Amino acid sequence: MASITTAAEAVARIAYLSSDAILSVQPALSTHSEFSKHLHSYSSSRLPGLVAKEVPEVIAIRHNVDPLLSAFKPLRSGKLVSVTTSSSILLPSIPHLYKLAQYPIVLHVALHPFNSADYSEITAIRQSGFVFLHSETLQEAQDIAISAHALAIRLGKGVIHFFDPANSARDHLIEAEDRDLVRKILDLDSVRAAQLRKDESTSLYVDDGRRATVTEETAQLPTEGSIESGSAKAAPRDIATEKSSTEGASSVGSSVRESSADSRQTTSSVTSVGSTITRPVTSDDIYDCITSIWAQIARATGRTYRVFEYTGPEDAESALFIFGSTGLFVDELGEANSTDEFANFGLVTARLYRPWIGSRLSQLLPVSIRRIAVLEQIRKKTTKWGPVLLDILTSLRTGPAANASPLIVGHQLVYIEPATVRQAIRGIFQNLSSPTPIQNLEVGSSERPQQSSSQYALTQPKVENAYMKILDQVFGKRLHVANRLDAAHAGISATIAASPEFGFGSLLARHDHRRRFIGEVKTAAATHDFVTDIPQSWLSKWALSAEDAQKANVIAPDVISRLSNDGSRLASTLLESKSLFFKESQWLIGSDAWAYDLGNSGVHHVIASGANVNMLIIDSQPWSERAAADEARRKKDIGLYAMHFGNAYVASVAVYSSYTQVLEAMIEADEFEGPSVVVAYLPYNKEDDSPLTVLQETKKAVDLGYWPLYRWNPTREENGEPNFSLDSERIKQELEEFLRRDNHLTQLMNRHPKFAANLSESYGTEVRALQKRKAKDAYNTLLESLYGAPLTILFASDNGNAESLAKRLGNRGKARGLKTMVMAMDDYPLEDLPTEENVVMLTSTAGQGEFPQNGRSFWDAVKDTTEIDLSQVKYAVFALGDSHYWPRKEDKIYYNKPGKDLDARIAFLGGKRLADVGLGDDQDPDSYQTGYAEWEPKLWQSLGVDNVEGLAEEPPPITNEDIKIESNFLRGTIAEGLADTSTGAISASDQQLTKFHGTYMQDDRDLRDERKAQGLEPAYAFMIRCRLNGGVATPSQWLQMDSISSSYGNETMKLTTRQTFQFHGVVKSKLKSAMRGINKALMTTIAACGDVNRNVMVSPLPTRSAFHRDVHQVSARISDHLLPSTTAYHEIWLKDNDSPDEKQTKVGGDAIVDKEPLYGPTYLPRKFKITIAVPPHNDTDVYAHDIGLIAIKDASGRRLEGFNVLVGGGMGVTHNNKKTYPRTGSMLGYFSASQIHLVCEKIMLVQRDHGDRKNRKHARLKYTIDDMGVDVFRAKVEDLLEDKFKEPRPFEFKSNIDTFGWQKDEFGMNHFLMFIENGRVEDTPEFSMKTGLREIAKVHQGDFRLTPNQHLCLSGVPDAQLDTIKGLLQQYKLDNLHFSGLRLSSSACVAFPTCGLAMAESERYLPELITKLETCLEENGLKQDSIVMRMTGCPNGCARPWLAEVAFVGKAYGAYNMYLGGGYHGQRLNKLYRSSIGEEEILGIMKPLLRRYALEREQGERFGDFVIRIGMVKATREGKDFHENVAEEESEGE
């Protein structure tokens, strides 16, 4: 059995075993208390409790957010609750304690400060109605913790178990108490009875009459009359709680001191056999119950406990009664010699402190006792006589024995060093023996030891630094935070100094000081006491603008300068307060802890005062664990509270949603004359949460209206402007009601008609169940007119396969005469399942054997229910999965796990199988269709419809080729879809066509779950990709792109691996405006995506400008030559169809005649990509594209002559499908620069005519070449060219990464290549990158060149402008290149949250992974070494991972395939090393490998070559070899 080392560990274990829910009160969510580390260890290991039906719930909660509020909800739902906390929360929680005392709750309280515990928090709450138990040693802590829970369960009373953790710190280890003994003492029958007692109360502070009661069975009585319960002994029958209807009935309180008398009430009734009485629990009940519990412990363990404990001689004349830490006294008295004057001392302690059973104390003391010294360890003494002293006096000096009672002398016990204990006891003895003893004598030193400060000190969470940094950025030296934690306030504790009350008071004093100073300046300006008249004029000028921050702060330096030069005594006096010449931006900063007692806090005082004070209040409650779910947590909406006052500026902001809005709000708050409240959202579960977690939580809260973004300025209406500005699309109900009151909501909806639907449907509206019911009823109505057996088909699908299969099955069922209904599982009302006759369920497999998104809620409900009977339901299940997806044997259970689990669960609930579960396997010859073809006939046979004659032939599924040919040259119904305001989406076929126009429809996957739960459609938005030849943009184009991202997108720009701009988060209503904005910048998006030639890439760094210019001109010629000719783009996006001058020209009726000379009506089979590399830099990954052109110089070495031509490169792969693979380009030969655009055309035409149009996974040029052979392909191209390729020219590549820093070309122009991690251009509190680049674009005279590695080059900077550009780069930290070589060489695709194909994080995770590796790099001397690392969220390979030296490709959320051995020059593919590994395994592989590389590499050996040489992976020679000889063979599936 495990050993217990500390009292806190012992208590935590017992609380965990004995509770349904444990509130773990902690200094911070990421900082453990003495209890919480043990509790979270038990919880994370899924250790079962004894009381909870499943694993007990451990709820971490910060100590300063009114933690006991969280106890009411679980208690009222019948749960047994315990709290582990320090004593610091007790006094602020007094309003709750009186109510909680009537519930079966246990508070385990560790008295702080450590080593100097203060018992005054216990005495201060002694009259709260709780039972108080005290433990002193490690063993007692465990036993008394058990006793506390047993008592609470049996009596339904609240119990506080308190102890000093330092008192037992030196105790020997003890064994953890046997679970069976704990179970026996708790009495599980009593536990279940307690859990059944639910309470419908909702009030928190008003007494609702609830009392802990006892129900008794009375003995048989022959007569009627008035009977005292004491005379007719009542047998306890049940302990319960009820709401008393009698005014006088009350629970036992600490004031019951005369409890030796019978405290049962009398009753008057007609009593017969079996009658019962119910009455409040009394002190006698508590005494009887606790002694019974201790008797059980004694019988089982031999350890005895009593209400009061006495140790010492039976003939002792003097005794110490200690209410405090007894350890040192016990040790000293135990070691006393017979010659010591205190050798005959006895020692008394209270085990049961409340109720105080005084009669037991008098019975316990030896009759020889003549003197008692009462030692109370109470630091905060508020009365002359200590509370324990009064208790003892009452017990021993009242009643018949009062005359013979001993002398009682009170002492105050403060801090005692171990070395001075003997001296302290002597002093007590001498005082006690004195003829005139001193009452309230202080024993020990009042100076608390330095190390004993409370563990619950206030600290600002690191994650909250974001808002502090923004304040610093905006206000700089003007910023004054009155209650900042690091400020020094003499004699004031940090807790008080950080409070809003203290901060507000200090600001008022500061205001008064500056007001007096302004008066002094005005007086000085009117005198002639200066040496010259110059200071007077400046002081007068300043005084006129003293309250105008902008003007005063501009003038202040000049005023100070003039006074410094004057030298007069008056000038020196004014300069002593020179800081007051500046008008500060004054702020109070607090957390959501300020929202829990708003009416009595400094927040109320600030707002009500009307003073010009700014408050920033950071709310950290995550959306996913929002306190709104617990009605008992009365957290106030401070923003709404302030708006109701009418005199305050109010803003609701979220830095991870809109950085710009935060800046606007802070500036407006500072300018507002009066109180300003900025409530700022920063959700986190722990203070060290990753920014990614904070971002995801913020997005959910803002999108769903839980945290609306707005600004409220009550002075705007004076200027005819609206007071309220909404900066997000959805608001919550309380805010809506406020706005409706003054008609603000109507005005808001009129100003933002596109938001009207969202505004009128408040956050929190429960519509999901109603939607399910309506959908089901609509289906039923439709089916009523049909004949045949009913067949309900439910699907769960992530990638669309299961959904398509379900719909096809439904159509086939209808053809067979069945009444079929097809729905997503989560759209189906589960309560109807028992009424179905035939149900078929199809599900794919997501993540680690999980249900797809639209089936999870259905599965959770089916899995947990035991209340539905499916005995009348016939069912079948078909599952889709990949038997090779999880290669390790232990992970094989995940293959088709959702379908298997669902089949087993439905059978368990009584369902009758129509057919055995079908298993579709992606590894089969026809993928999942192989298994499906075997399963479907069995289904029809079971339903009796297998031999139906005359079945119509099924139409073939619509393919991309069908969509293209029917689109009328890419028009489709895009224009109609854009005009449809009922949805944020467009049709499936239009989604394919808009790709040709440069835009993809996506949805925010961070919000998908929550929006679905709210009954909302996904957060649809569009990604726009520009077509930017060679990645070159002018400064004016950069500014236009910046504006588009802010006005129409998500305020960020993505520089892509295809060397262009990409915008995310563009909603449908803004899509056309964004496209027009791009066109206005003389840029386009046509053919940036789709089955056409896309953006032509070029090496970005022009170290040889003439040569580079030649190359860029060729790239432009190729790009223009291969551009689609359709006019659909202009008609849909650029024409104003409402204008009479912009009418479409139609020929032949309503048909628009168009043509595509190169592409034809079906365009290409798949995407087509061209890139140009300029040796020695392969920074465009020339081997990875359909056409790779390697620029060759002429004989002079300065100009372009021609190109070596590579074909057949490509990166797209499907996991575990060995028919798909990446491929590096094959060399065709050399061609001159003048003809190269025609070479590209003919290559593209051969692909157009010979590419696979039936299987899109096999449609890229790489497969065409491998199917055809390089020589045959070359011949076909040469036939079209009517010319031959020449032998390739020699060339050399040295790297495929960017060359950072400043470089100068042969014409003397300067170029700076800056690092932009993963291409994301945005502003953050730490880095104002977007702002900095915008400022540079305003003055830059050259170009912006985007690199294929997602970085940026400022090109063409003349020497005359060099200092200006360098200054701006330095100002905005854009010149920082002090990153590790690994980080500089890294790249990642977008992945979550916008990419619909992503299986795992990429852009948001790779920086974190690199950070965790950089310490290892530093330790091994590799910090500056370039190692190419890339990450993608799926195997489509947008960041070209297959060429990286080390790559991670997403396979499921948090799981990646790891590839090693790519060529540093981008010339060789890598090889699979490990499959489906998480971060822990990645770090476990990479750190030793990096150490080994540092020690064993050869001179100049690159990492990719090294891992091949040492045998970790085999070299990949060509694409068809990619899946061969992998380091981790994929084992066979089931």
Side-chain angles (χ1 to χ4, degrees), residues 521 524-542 555 557-568 571 574:
V521 168
T527 67
H528 298 283
D529 294 340
F530 296 104
V531 175
T532 68
D533 293 336
I534 295 175
Q536 289 174 287
S537 60
W538 278 99
L539 289 173
S540 299
K541 185 178 179 182
W542 178 85
I555 300 171
D558 290 318
V559 174
I560 293 170
S561 174
R562 268 54 177 196
L563 291 174
S564 300
N565 294 334
D566 185 77
S568 64
L574 293 175

Side-chain angles (χ1 to χ4, degrees), residues 930-1106:
T930 303
Y932 183 77
E934 298 173 359
W935 175 82
E936 187 184 308
K938 298 176 184 176
L939 174 66
W940 300 139
Q941 186 177 8
S942 294
L943 291 169
V945 292
D946 51 325
N947 293 318
V948 178
E949 296 182 1
L951 288 175
E953 190 172 328
E954 284 187 66
I958 295 174
T959 67
N960 280 61
E961 296 303 308
D962 297 326
I963 293 171
K964 286 186 283 186
I965 202 166
E966 293 295 328
S967 72
N968 190 13
F969 297 96
L970 308 182
R971 288 173 176 80
T973 57
I974 296 174
E976 293 81 354
L978 293 174
D980 181 6
T981 58
S982 66
T983 176
I986 56 176
S987 69
S989 58
D990 286 342
Q991 289 174 40
Q992 297 302 317
L993 295 175
T994 52
K995 294 177 183 180
F996 292 80
H997 297 257
T999 181
Y1000 281 72
M1001 192 185 87
Q1002 303 173 328
D1003 78 289
D1004 193 325
R1005 295 173 69 180
D1006 284 345
L1007 304 175
R1008 195 180 277 176
D1009 284 356
E1010 294 298 341
R1011 288 184 69 89
K1012 182 164 188 153
Q1014 292 289 322
L1016 304 170
E1017 72 174 7
Y1020 292 120
F1022 290 78
M1023 178 273 285
I1024 301 176
R1025 185 183 296 152
C1026 293
R1027 183 185 177 93
L1028 188 65
N1029 178 56
V1032 178
T1034 65
S1036 62
Q1037 287 174 327
W1038 182 277
L1039 289 172
Q1040 183 71 359
M1041 297 302 101
D1042 179 278
S1043 175
I1044 289 168
S1045 70
S1046 297
S1047 301
Y1048 306 118
N1050 62 358
E1051 300 187 13
T1052 74
M1053 289 190 292
K1054 174 77 170 178
L1055 311 184
T1056 76
T1057 54
R1058 290 222 53 79
Q1059 212 172 8
T1060 187
F1061 296 101
Q1062 199 161 282
F1063 306 105
H1064 292 272
V1066 182
V1067 295
K1068 187 170 76 172
S1069 60
K1070 297 180 180 179
L1071 190 55
K1072 202 167 187 178
S1073 299
M1075 292 290 205
R1076 289 181 173 184
I1078 292 169
N1079 182 71
K1080 186 178 178 182
L1082 304 180
M1083 295 166 67
T1084 185
T1085 67
I1086 182 69
C1089 320
D1091 299 340
V1092 289
N1093 176 59
R1094 300 189 178 184
N1095 200 50
V1096 178
M1097 296 164 60
V1098 181
S1099 292
L1101 194 59
T1103 50
R1104 291 287 181 269
S1105 287

Side-chain angles (χ1 to χ4, degrees), residues 478 514 542 544-554 583 673:
R478 285 185 57 216
R514 190 167 190 270
W542 178 85
L544 292 173
S545 306
E547 296 297 343
D548 186 323
Q550 191 171 359
K551 292 180 181 178
N553 295 335
V554 170
K583 183 170 174 58
E673 288 297 322

Side-chain angles (χ1 to χ4, degrees), residues 31-80:
T31 305
H32 280 304
S33 69
E34 51 265 89
F35 305 99
S36 62
K37 59 184 177 183
H38 306 293
L39 290 170
H40 291 295
S41 172
Y42 304 146
S43 180
S44 60
S45 60
R46 307 287 296 172
L47 181 72
L50 298 175
V51 164
K53 294 177 182 177
E54 296 181 357
V55 176
E57 182 181 11
V58 177
I59 305 167
I61 188 165
R62 285 180 290 150
H63 72 107
N64 60 344
V65 293
D66 209 353
L68 293 191
L69 272 177
S70 295
F72 283 98
K73 185 176 183 181
L75 282 169
R76 286 168 171 169
S77 64
K79 291 184 178 180
L80 293 173

Side-chain angles (χ1 to χ4, degrees), residues 103-106 147-159 194 197:
Y103 290 89
I105 185 173
V106 178
S147 305
H149 284 279
L151 184 66
I153 290 167
R154 297 183 192 186
L155 294 184
K157 282 285 291 180
V159 181
R197 300 179 203 130

